[in-house]
Amino acid sequence: MRWLKKENHKIKNQLPVHIGIIMDGNGRWAKKRGLPRSAGHKSGANNFRKITRYCSGIGIKYLTIYAFSTENWKRPEEEVKFLMNLFEQYIKEALSDFQKENIRIIFLGDKSKFSTNLKNLIDEVEKASKTKTGMTLNIAMNYGGRDEIVKAVKSLGEEVKKGKISPEEIDEESIAGKLYTCGQPDPDLIIRPSGEYRLSNFLLWQSAYSELIFMDILWPDFSTKDLDKALNEYSSRNRRFGGI
Ligand code: FPP
């Protein structure tokens, strides 16, 4: 296993188990260079591969990346189409590349809106990586934190209606059990590059006690050194989870 460089050794003891990343700033990165937004997404996708491999190499157990939100359909049709093609391309590559890597891929979000081809690819890659025992890579696509909670509440409502559970039995555990991240630990650390300071509907339930790190760097420029910086900052945080 590759490990963080010696000078960062102190990170080892306080390495987050689960990291969430909001990949933001592709459009601005392209604009700064006089390129179309699609070039920013392409560069962002390459960086996503690099950061994923790095996280897996240093021993992160869960990585959740925000690739497409329930609100991103509002973008121009051409940009949405480009992103969908990029996702298809990535999954095809992942199907061959990731055979060698011990990474499990799970998609978080409502798949019903995707093309049949994309839905099939998603099923295929989830199935193919199911037995992997290394890092779990969650790709949040057509994902919204509020939408996820609404779906969980509806599902519990159905169970109440059928008499399977009583309303009194509904608790935090039963709600968490209905989320896309069911069975996974909550993110310890959420990183948002690009200089925006908000969660934008990302892991709303799961982020209750996540440490948040906002960085003034656009996603395609976000390097493994920037990740190390965030990990160093995380290791100096005092997490109290409401205690003292
Ligand atoms: C936000 O930047 C980025 C997105 C909405 C798309 C993220 C997708 C990728 C990085 C593609 C790679 C993903 C996979 C799974 C292959 P923005 O467009 O909002 O940037 P801006 O705020 O500067 O306009």
Side-chain angles (χ1 to χ4, degrees):
M1 186 180 82
R2 265 194 307 127
W3 192 245
L4 287 178
K5 285 169 237 86
K6 276 212 169 61
E7 60 268 30
N8 289 330
H9 199 68
K10 70 181 179 87
I11 290 172
K12 193 173 180 177
N13 297 326
Q14 288 116 330
L15 200 65
V17 173
H18 186 169
I19 300 179
I21 301 182
I22 302 175
M23 304 185 292
D24 193 18
N26 296 344
R28 278 163 284 166
W29 182 91
K31 196 174 173 197
K32 259 173 65 181
R33 287 161 178 76
L35 297 169
R37 292 178 59 81
S38 55
H41 292 315
K42 216 169 157 195
S43 183
N46 289 335
N47 202 36
F48 154 68
R49 287 184 188 85
K50 196 171 85 190
I51 296 295
T52 297
R53 289 214 161 88
Y54 188 70
C55 285
S56 164
I58 62 172
I60 299 298
K61 297 280 177 251
Y62 296 85
L63 172 66
T64 302
I65 57 116
Y66 205 7
F68 196 87
S69 77
T70 43
E71 289 70 42
N72 285 152
W73 298 103
K74 291 186 220 151
R75 294 186 175 213
E77 204 184 322
E78 196 190 340
E79 182 169 340
V80 170
K81 219 171 140 190
F82 184 86
L83 283 168
M84 293 300 142
N85 281 332
L86 209 55
F87 298 147
E88 282 190 18
Q89 199 187 317
Y90 169 73
I91 299 171
K92 278 183 199 152
E93 276 167 28
L95 274 168
S96 58
D97 276 19
F98 278 52
Q99 298 295 351
K100 294 173 245 121
E101 304 197 30
N102 200 15
I103 297 177
R104 181 177 182 192
I105 302 181
I106 294 176
F107 289 85
L108 315 182
D110 179 359
K111 295 164 196 163
S112 67
K113 266 187 129 181
F114 297 137
S115 69
T116 309
N117 190 34
L118 186 52
K119 274 190 277 198
N120 289 343
L121 281 168
I122 287 174
D123 288 347
E124 214 181 319
V125 84
E126 281 187 334
K127 234 196 226 157
S129 67
K130 211 179 171 129
T131 52
K132 303 286 184 182
T133 53
M135 187 177 82
T136 295
L137 169 65
N138 294 316
I139 302 181
M141 254 169 63
N142 194 22
Y143 172 88
R146 287 186 173 181
D147 183 60
E148 181 182 37
I149 295 167
V150 168
K151 282 188 168 61
V153 170
K154 273 190 185 153
S155 171
L156 289 169
E158 281 298 320
E159 289 183 9
V160 169
K161 201 163 94 184
K162 286 180 190 150
K164 282 189 182 167
I165 55 164
S166 69
E168 292 71 31
E169 280 176 87
I170 296 175
D171 57 11
E172 291 189 10
E173 205 182 321
S174 55
I175 294 176
K178 295 286 182 189
L179 303 178
Y180 296 118
T181 49
C182 161
Q184 299 188 14
D186 287 339
D188 304 290
L189 167 66
I190 293 180
I191 304 170
R192 181 170 192 156
S194 96
E196 308 283 359
Y197 304 99
R198 54 179 173 267
L199 280 175
S200 300
N201 211 4
F202 183 56
L203 302 178
L204 293 185
W205 175 276
Q206 300 88 334
S207 62
Y209 284 101
S210 302
E211 294 298 322
L212 307 180
I213 294 185
F214 299 101
M215 297 172 89
D216 200 6
I217 182 154
L218 303 173
W219 173 250
D221 289 329
F222 185 90
S223 65
T224 53
K225 277 207 177 84
D226 295 310
L227 185 67
D228 286 352
K229 252 190 242 165
L231 292 173
N232 266 320
E233 161 73 27
Y234 170 82
S235 71
S236 70
R237 299 265 179 105
N238 180 11
R239 302 187 77 195
R240 292 191 294 278
F241 299 94
I244 51 169

